[in-house]
Every structure is written in structure tokens, then in C-alpha cells.
Amino acid sequence: MRNPFFSLKEFCSRLFTQTTPLEKRISYAMVLIAMVGEFFGFIESLVLHLTLAAILLPLLSFIIHIGLLLWGMKISRTDLFAFFAISITSMIIFPAMFFANAGLQGGMPFYFLLSLVCTALALKGKKRIILFILTMLEYSGLFLCFYFFPQIFIGMSKQDAFIDQLCSMIISSGILFAFSCAVSNQTMRDRETIKKLSQEYEKQANTDELTGLFNRRYFNSFLKLAIRTLGDSENLHLAMFDIDNFKSVNDRYGHPFGDTVLKQFSEILKKSEEFGSTVCRYGGEEFLILIPGKDRKQALSIVENILEETRTNIKVGDSFITVSAGFITCKEEMSYDLLLEEVDKKLYKAKCTGKNKVVS
């Protein structure tokens, strides 16, 4: 035989799982809370020997909410379930209970507030506004009705009314607190999701898809910032690389193999990041590396090591890939455009004077 407690736990986890929309969870909670309240109201009415109407009304409401709960589990439209569940509960069941529980002398006004909160949290757009207005008009009418015609409400003793008010206040406060926590947690999760997506989109916008290096757009912005902060210290260096004879590699071995060569060279460049360098794929087979905080000799040594590691590790057929590089140190009042123009000239000189070397 199945454990009843386990079945209840499984049932609740199905209703309140994070994959269930927040609006539907709030509607479920309102229906379940109304069911529990009506069940105990039915027991209380029996124990206190209240009128037949006071006994049957909570029992009938309990059955109606069971039907709502089962319907909500089958229907896929969250907005429709939330609208009907809140409308029936707040505009039919709660007002009927208001008559059966001594009107303003009992605890039902606390549940009125609860229904308004559920309307605000679980509904959207015109439905929320319309139901709020109708509910407020109905509740205002009930209050006026109690003021002018208190005799039509089923009364309670002063002690029973106090107990009903106290229990209603405690239950409503606990429910409102739980709803607030649920909304707050959902908001926090949504913010974290948005933050992660934003970071992912930013990374994709600034990263070259093939090599995983920074792209030209990001590097241009970073270089301009670096020039403003370190441009007059002569401790900022820029090198531009171009893979020698890359077109012939693509023509002979195909573009997929050429992409492999680009990735292998990118991995060599990434090793320089341990020295604080910033590397980017500038376009095609051209790459840039920005080296801050080093003197000229140290920075030039990093560039030469990249050339050496390339010509001894990236093999194509019976030979090895080589790269040419231009190297320049940023000097005082050197602009962004001038820096790129000068390093490009030095790369061109390296390509025209034998390749497989760095010109500084």
C-alpha cells in the first residue's frame, strides 16, 4: 500500500514545482488554502452546532475547490485557470462565507485582502483591473450591507468571533508572507537568469567564434582605453601577426584544415595572457597582442617566443607554419590610429623581407 504522506508530498511537488508558472502556483495555493479553511470551518460549525446553512456552505465550498484543483491540473492555460479560480473564490465563496461567519465580526475580511493580493499577483492586464474593481465593489457592498442590515448575517458568540478573527489573521499573514517570499525568490531567479544571459551575450559579442579570442570590436575599445592610461609610459606594446602563406594552406588542404591552423596558433597566443597580455583575432589570419606593464625588451621577447613556438609546433605536411610580426612600443601622444598604422607598416616590412620574423 502506498504511503499517504509520500503521495501528498508528490502531489504538492507536482503543483508547486519551479517549472509551474508563478501565477498558477499562486492560484493553486489560494485554492488549497480555501479548501483547508473551509474544511475546518465545516468541522467548527458541526462542533458549535451552528445553523444548517453554516454547516453546509463550507462543505459545498470545499467540494467546489476540489473540482477547481483537479481542473487546474489538467488545463494548460495558466491565465484561464487563475482567472476562474480567483473569481469563484473571491467573488462567490468568500462573500458567502462572510454571511455565514458573522460578517465584520468574524475573520473573513482578512481573506478579502488575501483575494486582492492573489488578483494582483496571478492575473495580468485588463483581467486584473476588471476583477479588482468588481471585487472592491462587491466587498464594499457587503460592508455596507452588514452596517445597515446586520440581522441577515449568521451570528457568533463574542468568544467564537474572537477566535475566528485571530485564526484568520494568523493564516492570512502566513499566506501573504509565503506569497511575498515566492515572488521575491522568483524575481531573484529571474534576475540571475537575465544576468547570466547578458554575460553570455556580451561574451558572444566580444569573442571570435572560431578561436575563442577577443574580436576586433572589443580589442579596438580596449586598446583606446589602454592608450589613455598607459600610452605615455613606454610600457605598452602592440604586436600584429600574420600567418605566412596562409592562402596556399587553404587552397591545398582546404578551409577546415586552415581553421585548425588558426585554432592552433590561437592557443599559442593565449599562453601570453599569463603575462597580462590581451589577444585578439583582428581578421582573417591576422592577430593582435597588446602587452602592458613590460619594458620593450621583455615584450619583444614574448613576441619572439610566439614565433619560435609556432614554427616548431604547427606542422603542415612536411613543413611547419611560420608567422611574421610587426612590433611597436606606444610613445607619448601616440594616437590609436597612428599606433595601428605603424604596427601594420612593420608587419608589412616583415612580410616583404623574408617572413618568419618580427620587425620592431
Side-chain angles (χ1 to χ4, degrees):
M1 185 175 178
R2 209 169 177 189
N3 188 336
F5 177 76
F6 178 78
S7 300
L8 180 62
K9 184 178 179 181
E10 185 181 32
F11 175 74
C12 290
S13 66
R14 181 181 173 188
L15 292 184
F16 298 106
T17 177
Q18 294 299 325
T19 58
T20 304
L22 179 63
E23 296 88 349
K24 200 164 190 176
R25 278 182 273 154
I26 290 173
S27 303
Y28 279 145
M30 184 175 183
V31 171
L32 283 171
I33 290 158
M35 283 174 58
V36 173
E38 288 149 6
F39 177 76
F40 283 106
F42 168 68
I43 299 299
E44 180 185 7
S45 300
L46 282 176
V47 172
L48 296 177
H49 302 290
L50 298 181
T51 63
L52 184 62
I55 295 173
L56 293 179
L57 184 60
L59 180 61
L60 178 62
S61 301
F62 178 76
I63 295 171
I64 291 173
H65 278 99
I66 289 178
L68 276 174
L69 191 65
L70 295 175
W71 177 63
M73 293 177 66
K74 293 181 178 180
I75 191 170
S76 59
R77 287 190 56 185
T78 298
D79 58 335
L80 190 63
F81 168 69
F83 179 76
F84 276 103
I86 294 173
S87 298
I88 292 172
T89 302
S90 64
M91 297 195 68
I92 299 176
I93 304 299
F94 283 175
M97 297 295 291
F98 183 71
F99 277 95
N101 287 274
L104 289 175
Q105 293 178 350
M108 283 308 298
F110 291 106
Y111 293 103
F112 289 167
L113 294 176
L114 180 62
S115 69
L116 294 176
V117 172
C118 289
T119 300
L121 292 177
L123 300 180
K124 297 178 181 178
K126 292 181 180 179
K127 289 180 181 177
R128 175 164 53 190
I129 301 300
I130 292 172
L131 188 59
F132 172 76
I133 293 173
L134 291 176
T135 304
M136 285 298 297
L137 289 174
E138 183 178 17
Y139 290 171
S140 299
L142 290 173
F143 278 43
L144 290 172
C145 190
F146 180 81
Y147 181 77
F148 289 108
F149 308 103
Q151 67 275 9
I152 65 175
F153 293 82
I154 298 175
M156 285 186 183
S157 68
K158 187 175 181 180
Q159 182 179 357
D160 291 339
F162 170 75
I163 294 173
D164 189 55
Q165 288 178 344
L166 179 63
C167 292
S168 298
M169 184 272 292
I170 293 173
I171 293 171
S172 299
S173 299
I175 295 165
L176 290 176
F177 179 76
F179 283 174
S180 300
C181 289
V183 173
S184 176
N185 291 337
Q186 185 71 42
T187 302
M188 290 292 291
R189 283 191 293 269
D190 290 343
R191 286 179 179 174
E192 287 298 317
T193 301
I194 292 171
K195 183 179 178 181
K196 289 178 181 178
L197 288 174
S198 178
Q199 290 173 343
E200 185 63 28
Y201 291 149
E202 183 178 357
K203 181 180 178 182
Q204 290 177 0
N206 294 327
T207 305
D208 176 64
E209 185 177 0
L210 177 66
T211 63
L213 300 177
F214 288 119
N215 59 24
R216 182 171 185 164
R217 185 180 72 170
Y218 175 84
F219 192 84
N220 285 344
S221 301
F222 187 80
L223 178 57
K224 290 175 183 178
L225 177 63
I227 290 172
R228 288 198 298 269
T229 55
L230 293 172
D232 58 352
S233 66
E234 296 195 5
N235 283 328
L236 181 66
H237 316 277
L238 182 67
M240 180 178 281
F241 300 87
D242 186 275
I243 300 176
D244 297 329
N245 307 313
F246 187 70
K247 185 178 183 302
S248 63
V249 173
N250 273 335
D251 292 342
R252 184 175 180 182
Y253 297 98
H255 288 280
F257 183 81
D259 289 345
T260 301
V261 171
L262 291 174
K263 291 177 183 178
Q264 290 175 320
F265 181 60
S266 299
E267 292 302 317
I268 293 174
L269 288 175
K270 286 178 183 178
K271 294 178 183 178
S272 67
E273 292 177 347
E274 63 184 77
F275 302 108
S277 303
T278 301
V279 186
C280 97
R281 183 186 180 191
Y282 201 62
E285 67 271 23
E286 287 187 340
F287 297 81
L288 284 171
I289 176 171
L290 187 66
I291 308 172
K294 304 289 182 183
D295 59 37
R296 183 177 173 83
K297 184 177 179 181
Q298 290 172 323
L300 193 56
S301 175
I302 292 173
V303 175
E304 289 172 343
N305 286 339
I306 291 172
L307 267 65
E308 175 64 23
E309 192 167 349
T310 302
R311 58 177 165 251
T312 57
N313 285 282
I314 305 179
K315 193 172 184 180
V316 177
D318 296 328
S319 60
F320 288 89
I321 288 290
T322 62
V323 294
S324 301
F327 177 89
I328 190 169
T329 298
C330 184
K331 297 182 180 178
E332 189 173 358
E333 304 204 1
M334 207 170 200
S335 69
Y336 160 81
D337 292 326
L338 180 59
L339 189 64
L340 282 176
E341 182 182 339
E342 290 299 317
V343 77
D344 186 60
K345 287 179 181 179
K346 292 182 182 296
L347 173 62
Y348 181 76
K349 185 177 180 180
K351 300 286 284 186
C352 292
T353 56
K355 303 178 180 178
N356 189 25
K357 62 181 176 180
V358 54
V359 172
S360 60

